[in-house]
Amino acid sequence: MRDPYEVLGVPRGASAAAIKSAYRKLAKKHHPDSNKNDPKAAERFAEINSANEIVGDEDKRKQFDRGEIDAEGKPRFQGFPGGGGPRGRAGGGPGAGGFEYSFRSGPGGAGGAGGAGFEDILNSMFGGAARGGRPGGSRTFEFDTGGIGLDLDLSVAMSVSLEEAVKGGEKRVRLPNGKELNVKIPAGVTAGQQIRLKGQGETAPGHPPGDLLITVSIAPHPFFKVDGSDLRLDLPITLYEAVLGGKVRVPTLGSAVELSIPKNTSSGRTFRLKGKGLPKSGGTGDLFVITRIILPDGNDAELEALMEKWRDSHPYNPRSDLG
């Protein structure tokens, strides 16, 4: 994935408000519902969501800026302490302080090496079971790890868009070792769910390969808020639509639908669209649409005069119940 700042078109020093504004504009522009004839729209939309998940989150942005995670939110591989292999994998060579270590990971295991601090780790793990020695200033320790089971599973995180979570799809995942895999996203995947790919983890001589465990997260959506299996949407309506009523277009995860707004609809009124939410056991959740009355930009002298006349002839107090 590209640099998230580059994806959103903002500098690294951009404020949180500038990032949020850029994200919303791009998400609206590239939303698949607005680009039905563009097969790459969903891919661009997912990239925008993934970028916002990194730099739109204060903690993840700091981690990315420090180089602790990559553009997809995965920890950057920074080597292993003492020069040894990962999680007990064999290595070899001279260590610091005049020591040399070799350890076996079963029949045919290779020699290994580490710094003086690594000797303490091995001693604590294997009870100081050192073998052999070498005259002079350098001592050689050999440890037999043939009876130790290695954890060769790899864990990575993968962010998907809300549309991908519902409909499924395919996404490319980059592993800490630089390897890339195409991962099939099952339809109906939920946040926190794990996808296991057998045999795609780490390897070590004499051991079967580990598995790749992918933990799924769902990127924030520019319009919808997830509430269990339900979705919530703030729907902007005009003042005249609120007063006079009318039909307005409402986006869903499928195709858009028309919603009839009754006359005299207040801001905050909720409409329920059955079956327009997320898949769940035994059915589908609902979409709850909350109206938000939006006034026109700028000052409108004609509207102000109309409201003054209306106020004088039709006074009312919507806060009377508050005391």
Side-chain angles (χ1 to χ4, degrees):
M1 179 178 159
R2 292 188 293 149
D3 185 294
Y5 291 105
E6 180 184 337
V7 172
L8 297 179
V10 296
R12 285 184 171 268
S15 65
I19 290 174
K20 184 177 182 180
S21 176
Y23 164 65
R24 288 192 169 185
K25 289 178 181 178
L26 289 172
K28 184 176 181 180
K29 178 180 178 182
H30 296 288
H31 194 281
D33 283 351
S34 304
N35 300 270
K36 293 182 178 179
N37 296 324
D38 185 351
K40 294 187 177 180
E43 182 179 338
R44 290 196 300 270
F45 185 71
E47 184 181 41
I48 292 165
N49 274 323
S50 296
N52 182 66
E53 188 175 7
I54 298 297
V55 298
D57 181 284
E58 183 179 358
D59 292 334
K60 289 184 179 179
R61 182 182 182 185
K62 289 178 180 179
Q63 288 180 301
F64 177 77
D65 290 344
R66 291 194 298 262
E68 296 173 1
I69 60 175
D70 62 15
E72 294 184 355
K74 304 181 185 68
R76 290 187 183 275
F77 179 73
Q78 299 181 8
F80 302 95
R87 289 180 283 196
R89 188 178 298 170
F99 292 93
E100 183 173 310
Y101 316 104
S102 63
F103 51 97
R104 297 191 301 239
S105 58
F118 197 35
E119 177 220 354
D120 296 332
I121 298 174
L122 291 175
N123 269 321
S124 66
M125 289 173 62
F126 307 114
R131 299 177 188 163
R134 182 184 298 176
S138 176
R139 288 177 287 167
T140 299
F141 297 86
E142 186 175 295
F143 300 88
D144 188 350
T145 66
I148 304 297
L150 299 185
D151 178 11
L152 297 176
D153 288 345
L154 264 181
S155 296
V156 297
M158 178 177 69
S159 175
V160 301
S161 68
L162 187 58
E163 288 81 359
E164 288 173 328
V166 172
K167 301 174 184 177
E170 189 172 282
K171 195 157 189 175
R172 197 159 183 82
V173 173
R174 185 179 180 86
L175 307 186
N177 59 11
K179 182 179 178 181
E180 293 188 351
L181 293 174
N182 286 328
V183 178
K184 289 186 177 180
I185 304 167
V189 70
T190 56
Q193 185 174 333
Q194 281 194 331
I195 300 173
R196 179 184 291 267
L197 299 183
K198 290 282 188 179
Q200 296 295 335
E202 295 187 275
T203 59
H207 296 270
D211 298 337
L212 176 62
L213 303 176
I214 304 172
T215 302
V216 176
S217 64
I218 300 177
H221 196 278
F223 311 134
F224 302 113
K225 293 180 181 177
V226 178
D227 183 9
S229 60
D230 297 326
L231 295 175
R232 296 187 178 274
L233 168 70
D234 285 342
L235 179 68
I237 62 173
T238 64
L239 180 60
Y240 50 82
E241 286 170 336
V243 174
L244 303 176
K247 291 186 176 182
V248 297
R249 180 178 177 273
V250 178
T252 73
L253 287 178
S255 56
V257 299
E258 278 196 342
L259 175 66
S260 293
I261 303 294
K263 292 181 179 180
N264 299 321
T265 292
S266 297
S267 192
R269 182 169 179 176
T270 300
F271 297 86
R272 179 181 182 183
L273 301 182
K274 291 186 177 182
K276 296 298 183 181
L278 302 178
K280 64 178 181 179
S281 178
T284 307
D286 302 326
L287 171 60
F288 291 88
V289 179
I290 303 96
T291 57
R292 304 295 182 197
I293 299 174
I294 305 298
L295 297 179
D297 293 334
N299 297 324
D300 189 315
E302 187 177 354
L303 177 61
E304 291 175 4
L306 176 62
M307 289 296 100
E308 288 174 356
K309 182 179 179 180
W310 198 90
R311 177 193 61 193
D312 295 339
S313 60
H314 300 80
Y316 76 105
N317 182 9
R319 297 173 295 279
S320 58
D321 292 341
L322 299 180

